[in-house]
Amino acid sequence: MLDGCTPYPVEFRERYLREGYWCAETISQAVSASALAHPERIAVADASRTLTYAQLLEEARSFRDVLAKHGLQRGERIIVQLPNCVEFASLSLACFDLGVIPIMALPAFRRAELEYLAKLSDAKAIACAPEYRGFDHAKLAGELTKEIPSLKLVFSTSARPSTIDLHEPVPGSEPLAARQGDPLEVALFLLSGGTTGLPKLIPRTHADYLYNAREAAVVCALGAESRILIVLPTEHNFALASPGLLGTLLAGGVTIFSQDTRAAELAATISRERITHLPCVPTLAITLLDLPAHERRQLDALRIITVGGQPLQQATAYRLKRAWPGLVVQQVFGMAEGLLCYTRLDDRDEVACSTQGRPLSPADEIRTVDGAGREVAPGESGELWCRGPYTIRGYYRAPERNLEAFTSDGFYRTGDLVRRDSSGNLVVVGRIKDQINRGGEKISAEEVESHLIAHDAVSAAAVVAMADELLGERACAFVTLKPGASLELERMREFLAARGLARYKWPERLEVIDSMPLTNVGKVKKAELRRDIEMRIDREHRRKTGDSANTHHRA
Ligand code: OOB
C-alpha cells in the first residue's frame, strides 16, 4: 500500500477477500465491465453533455492518455476540484485506470485549502474547471504551481492558456482496464471533516470502495432503470459512492449532474430528467418542502430520497412523506472514513423517520462506548466506534492523529454520540468532535480558529456551532481582543477571505467577549460558549417577537 497509509492487517485482508467483501478488480475494471454490458445506454449527463457508457469509456481512455502524456505516473497524486459535470466521471475513471490518485477536493476550496492539500500530499497536478461561480480556478492553480515545488501541472475541462485541456486530442491507445492494477492499493483520497486541526486525507482502496458503492446501491435499490441526480458536491463520499455516481455506474443506471441547488430548478430537473433517486442533505429537503404546490408536483415520480450528512428532524421526515405519498424516505448516516448506516426501504415509518438506520455490511463491527472506552448498556448513548471492510485503518501521513482517532485494535473513533435501539438501528444524539455541521458541510473549529488568531486584533478565538433552522448549524466566532483593538463581523470575514479560506467556513456571527471561559487545564469551555450563543439568540428572538406582539397590541 502507498507509503503513509495504514494497511488492513493481514487476517482482515484475507477474511474480507475470502468472504467476498473484496473482489480482485480495480474500480476501472469494474466500471468497464458494467459499461461493456450495455455500451449504448446513457451513463452520465450534465446541462451541456450526455455520454453513453461507450462514450464514457472512450473519454476516460482519452483523459488517461492526456494525463500520462504530460508525465503523470502510477502512485502520483492529482487534486481534482471540479464542479458537478460529466468530466468528473471521465477524469476519475482515467485516474483509477492509470493508478494516479485523485484527491477529491470541493469546488468551494480556495488557496488555503488547496495549498495545504498539495503540500500534504506532494500533489503533482490540479484538475479544475477554469472558472466556476465567478472564481478563476485556473489562475489560482497556476499561481500555486509557482509556489509549491511538487505541483507542476494544471489540467482543465476546457481550453485555457497555461493549462492543459483534458479534451486535447490524443491518438487512440489501449482501452480502459486492459492493464492489471492492484485492487488493494489506494484508489482515491477523500477528505475528512476535520476535528482537530486541518482536514485529513482518507485513503480508500479499489476493493473497499467498490464494495462500498455496490452494497450501497443494493440498499438503495439502484438498478439499470434508475436515474440518480447528483446535486451535492460530487467529490463528497455521499454523492460519489454512497451509492452516488459510482454505485450508479456499476448498476448500469443514469447519473445526471446538476450544479443548481435552488429548489425550483431542482424540482424542474427532477421532473424533466425523470429522476428516481435523490441523495440530499436535510437542508435541501427543507427547501423542496417549501416549494409551492404546483412545483412540488414535479417530484411525483421520484421514488427514493436518501437524506443524510447531518441530522434530519423527525418532523421533516414525516413532512416529506406527507408531501409525496409515493416517495420512500431513507436516512443515511455516513462518513468519508467508511461506515455507512441506512434505513432500509421496507422499514416501518417510525424507523425510517426517527432513526439513522443500521450498518450496510454484516461485517461492520460497531461499539458504543463511554468516555473510558467501555461498552455502554443497551439503549444508552455513547461514542460510536467502528471497524469493517470499507472503514479505513488510518489517515494519510498523520501518525499522531491516527493514535487518537483509531484504537489499537483498529476501530475508528467517529466522535459521534449514538444510541442503538433493540433492532440495531442507530440514532445519532450528538457529537464530541469539535466541528460545525453547516448544511452537511463539515467545518473544523480548530482550522478556523487558527486563521482568526492570526488577525492583529485577536488575542484568543473559539468557534462554536449555533442552531439554524435551514442549515442545522452555522459557525459563531467568540473572540477576545488585544487592548484597544476592535473587530466587526464583516472585517473578520474579509480577513478570512484574504487568507484564502473557503467561504462556507467563515463564521456568520461574531461575539467579542472580555475573557474566554477556561477549564482549570486552560482549555476553552466550548459547551459554555454554545449555551451562551443559544441564550443570546433566544433573547433576541424573544425581543423581536415581543416587539411584534406589542406592535400588534398597539394597532
Ligand atoms: C457524510 O460524510 P462526512 O465525512 O462529510 O461527515 C461524517 C459526519 C458523521 O461523523 C456525522 O457527524 C455527520 O457527518 N453525519 C450525520 C448524519 N450523516 C452524517 N449526523 C447526523 N445524522 C446523519 N444522518 O456526511 C456522509 C457520507 C456518506 C453518506 C452520507 C453522509
Side-chain angles (χ1 to χ4, degrees):
M1 204 178 182
L2 181 75
D3 216 30
C5 300
T6 313
Y8 291 84
V10 77
E11 66 272 25
F12 285 90
R13 217 160 57 214
E14 285 171 358
R15 177 184 157 210
Y16 294 150
L17 282 164
R18 192 177 57 242
E19 295 179 5
Y21 298 108
W22 293 355
C23 298
E25 57 183 351
T26 62
I27 299 177
S28 83
Q29 287 173 318
V31 173
S32 296
S34 160
L36 293 173
H38 36 72
E40 74 299 338
R41 286 225 292 258
I42 302 298
V44 286
D46 60 23
S48 52
R49 303 175 67 218
T50 300
L51 299 185
T52 64
Y53 273 90
Q55 288 167 331
L56 173 65
L57 288 190
E58 172 50 22
E59 183 160 291
R61 198 259 335 137
S62 170
F63 283 10
R64 178 200 65 194
D65 293 345
V66 171
L67 298 181
K69 174 180 156 195
H70 291 277
L72 275 176
Q73 291 175 12
R74 180 171 297 277
E76 290 183 325
R77 274 79 62 195
I78 178 170
I79 295 175
V80 172
Q81 189 193 28
L82 296 185
N84 291 358
C85 62
V86 161
E87 281 87 351
F88 175 81
S90 323
L91 179 60
S92 302
L93 288 177
C95 291
F96 299 148
D97 199 61
L98 192 57
V100 165
I101 308 174
I103 297 170
M104 299 298 182
L106 298 178
F109 285 177
R110 294 294 179 260
R111 169 181 283 274
E113 289 87 7
L114 295 178
E115 198 178 302
Y116 163 74
L117 290 175
K119 285 182 177 161
L120 172 63
S121 68
D122 291 315
K124 190 170 181 181
I126 296 192
C128 59
E131 201 182 306
Y132 179 58
R133 294 197 169 148
F135 186 79
D136 195 336
H137 287 274
K139 178 161 169 261
L140 173 59
E143 286 166 16
L144 292 173
T145 57
K146 299 199 179 71
E147 297 161 25
I148 300 170
S150 70
L151 198 63
K152 302 207 166 13
L153 307 163
V154 179
F155 294 93
S156 70
T157 48
S158 57
R160 170 78 178 262
S162 81
T163 68
I164 303 159
D165 185 359
L166 282 166
H167 289 283
E168 169 185 304
V170 278
S173 68
E174 63 179 13
L176 225 59
R179 259 183 240 179
Q180 184 58 43
D182 179 359
L184 303 191
E185 191 44 271
V186 179
L188 70 157
F189 282 115
L190 296 173
L191 293 180
S192 81
T195 55
T196 50
L198 293 155
K200 300 288 177 283
L201 288 176
I202 297 173
R204 301 293 301 260
T205 63
H206 291 271
D208 95 73
Y209 215 46
L210 274 175
Y211 176 65
N212 184 116
R214 281 198 174 116
E215 240 6 76
V218 171
V219 155
C220 298
L222 220 151
E225 305 311 316
S226 304
R227 302 171 64 86
I228 196 170
L229 181 63
I230 302 296
V231 62
L232 301 176
T234 182
E235 283 90 354
H236 190 279
N237 190 31
F238 189 6
L240 181 54
S242 308
L245 167 67
L246 195 53
T248 308
L249 289 175
L250 293 166
V254 178
T255 300
I256 307 289
F257 289 105
S258 167
Q259 302 176 355
D260 199 329
T261 54
R262 287 173 303 178
E265 291 303 318
L266 206 62
T269 309
I270 289 170
S271 162
R272 189 181 61 244
E273 300 292 344
R274 293 170 287 115
I275 297 298
T276 58
H277 287 67
L278 178 68
C280 78
V281 288
T283 302
L284 214 54
I286 293 169
T287 62
L288 288 173
L289 281 167
D290 288 343
L291 282 171
H294 68 279
E295 278 180 327
R296 270 196 197 181
R297 241 172 284 133
Q298 295 185 300
L299 270 74
D300 282 350
L302 187 65
R303 288 188 44 229
I304 299 170
I305 187 167
T306 306
V307 192
Q310 63 176 143
L312 173 68
Q313 302 299 325
Q314 195 178 315
T316 310
Y318 278 108
R319 277 181 71 203
L320 287 169
K321 293 192 75 68
R322 275 199 303 276
W324 296 283
L327 184 66
V328 178
V329 177
Q330 180 182 44
Q331 296 206 43
V332 56
F333 160 50
M335 54 205 72
E337 285 81 356
L339 179 71
L340 299 170
C341 297
Y342 289 90
T343 57
R344 303 308 197 257
L345 301 181
D346 56 358
D347 275 343
R348 287 176 293 120
D349 283 2
E350 196 190 326
V351 172
C353 294
S354 55
T355 84
Q356 281 64 60
R358 45 199 181 278
L360 181 65
S361 172
D364 279 320
E365 300 169 74
I366 294 291
R367 285 188 194 159
T368 316
V369 302
D370 65 16
R374 283 181 305 248
E375 192 84 33
V376 299
E380 298 281 301
S381 62
E383 187 188 3
L384 174 69
W385 290 2
C386 59
R387 184 169 81 174
Y390 58 98
T391 295
I392 56 160
R393 294 300 185 119
Y395 294 111
Y396 180 58
R397 291 184 172 169
E400 283 165 26
R401 177 70 192 130
N402 286 342
L403 287 176
E404 299 163 352
F406 296 86
T407 64
S408 55
D409 54 352
F411 278 81
Y412 167 58
R413 298 182 161 108
T414 65
D416 292 310
L417 291 175
V418 305
R419 188 160 45 73
R420 233 186 315 176
D421 71 14
S422 53
S423 50
N425 290 298
L426 302 185
V427 177
V428 182
V429 297
R431 61 164 184 265
I432 53 173
K433 49 190 171 189
D434 198 6
Q435 212 175 56
I436 293 95
N437 191 337
R438 184 184 186 276
E441 304 271 30
K442 315 305 181 308
I443 305 171
S444 156
E446 213 178 303
E447 181 183 8
V448 182
E449 288 158 9
S450 72
H451 286 279
L452 290 176
I453 204 77
H455 192 287
D456 279 343
V458 173
S459 60
V463 175
V464 297
M466 55 181 179
D468 183 84
E469 243 170 66
L470 181 61
L471 291 171
E473 296 175 6
R474 291 178 195 263
C476 170
F478 281 89
V479 298
T480 57
L481 298 180
K482 291 181 185 155
S486 68
L487 186 63
E488 289 148 25
L489 180 66
E490 272 322 299
R491 298 291 91 71
M492 176 191 77
R493 288 168 62 88
E494 282 162 19
F495 175 74
L496 295 174
R499 291 190 54 97
L501 191 69
R503 184 187 187 108
Y504 70 89
K505 299 179 184 174
W506 307 349
E508 284 158 286
R509 183 165 172 144
L510 173 69
E511 292 295 334
V512 177
I513 51 178
D514 295 335
S515 65
M516 280 290 163
L518 298 178
T519 66
N520 46 18
V521 292
K523 271 183 68 176
V524 176
K525 289 183 181 166
K526 290 216 162 165
E528 198 166 300
L529 293 178
R530 278 191 291 269
R531 273 197 305 277
D532 181 335
I533 191 64
E534 199 181 314
M535 264 154 42
R536 287 175 199 243
I537 291 173
D538 192 46
R539 255 199 318 272
E540 286 165 8
H541 182 72
R542 268 187 287 132
R543 203 175 305 138
K544 245 191 244 156
T545 48
D547 281 355
S548 65
N550 285 341
T551 322
H552 190 234
H553 186 70
R554 277 198 301 274

